[in-house]
Amino acid sequence: MKTAIVLGSVRAGRQSHKVAYYLEKKLRERGVSTDLIDLAEDPLPVLDERAGRHPQVQAKVESLSARLRAADALLFVTPEYHGSFSGALKNALDYFWEEFNKKPIGVVAASAGKMGGINASTQLQHVVLSLGAFALPTKLLVPEVQGVFDDALQIKSEGVAKLTTRFLDEFLWFAGAIVQAKRAASAAA
């Protein structure tokens, strides 16, 4: 099973990228193929036309589309900005639909405060459903993210490490069940 991690933070001084890289490391330790899509490295301009109709960004959109299609499951990682998820992530999601259809998606949010991005995560789960995807009911919330990792991106918080393990257990079970059901349905067709 291949999992794409879509990192929705693009600002200088960001902290949620540490969570995304940690998730990538933990998934690879479990033998899961990953593709980290960092919107700071592969930015998309503000959507002013649907994919397929904007010649200046078509190659970039097609490349990102192929990476999303190749994923069996996805994790969306976002900071919480003003009580919601990042605009860069929402903009990227607006370019696509088919790429998410009937795929399992887990939501991860981080914040500088004690709530761990709960508002962002709840709103993002609603968007996942609107994409025609399956939102993992469990969320991973990382509060006070600026103190969770050291400079080498090693985790310092035993609590967050335990929460991450439980979250990934749930995500991999959920995603595996959906992927297996989809493959069985395709084989029967």
Side-chain angles (χ1 to χ4, degrees), residues 31 49 64-65 72 82 86 100 110 115 119 127 148 154 165-166 177 187:
E49 188 58 75
L64 189 50
S65 174
D72 297 302
H82 303 294
S86 78
F100 304 117
M115 299 304 290
N119 292 324
V127 172
V148 172
Q154 298 298 313
T165 297
R166 279 186 277 191

Side-chain angles (χ1 to χ4, degrees), residues 22-41:
Y22 181 67
L23 289 167
E24 179 184 41
K25 174 184 168 189
K26 289 300 177 185
L27 285 168
R28 287 186 176 172
E29 286 174 2
R30 292 174 181 228
V32 177
S33 174
T34 62
D35 179 13
L36 181 62
I37 299 169
D38 186 342
L39 296 175
E41 294 176 11

Side-chain angles (χ1 to χ4, degrees), residues 97 100-105 126-135:
W97 185 81
F100 304 117
N101 192 30
K102 295 185 179 176
K103 288 190 179 179
I105 300 177
H126 288 218
V127 172
V128 167
L129 296 173
S130 297
L131 294 171
F134 302 114

Side-chain angles (χ1 to χ4, degrees), residues 126-148:
H126 288 218
V127 172
V128 167
L129 296 173
S130 297
L131 294 171
F134 302 114
L136 175 67
T138 304
K139 303 177 260 194
L140 177 59
L141 304 177
V142 182
E144 299 175 330
V145 66
Q146 66 280 6
V148 172

Side-chain angles (χ1 to χ4, degrees), residues 89-108:
L89 180 57
K90 177 64 167 90
N91 181 65
L93 298 179
D94 286 344
Y95 273 92
F96 307 102
W97 185 81
E98 281 182 26
E99 292 81 355
F100 304 117
N101 192 30
K102 295 185 179 176
K103 288 190 179 179
I105 300 177
V107 171
V108 180

Side-chain angles (χ1 to χ4, degrees), residues 113-185:
K114 294 190 183 298
M115 299 304 290
I118 194 163
N119 292 324
S121 68
T122 300
Q123 290 176 18
L124 189 50
Q125 281 183 318
H126 288 218
V127 172
V128 167
L129 296 173
S130 297
L131 294 171
F134 302 114
L136 175 67
T138 304
K139 303 177 260 194
L140 177 59
L141 304 177
V142 182
E144 299 175 330
V145 66
Q146 66 280 6
V148 172
F149 299 92
D150 64 19
D151 292 338
L153 300 182
Q154 298 298 313
I155 196 153
K156 298 188 312 187
S157 168
E158 186 177 321
V160 172
K162 286 180 181 178
L163 289 172
T164 301
T165 297
R166 279 186 277 191
F167 173 78
L168 290 177
D169 289 345
E170 288 290 317
F171 172 72
L172 292 172
W173 179 89
F174 179 78
I178 292 170
V179 169
Q180 184 179 3
K182 287 171 61 175
R183 288 179 181 159

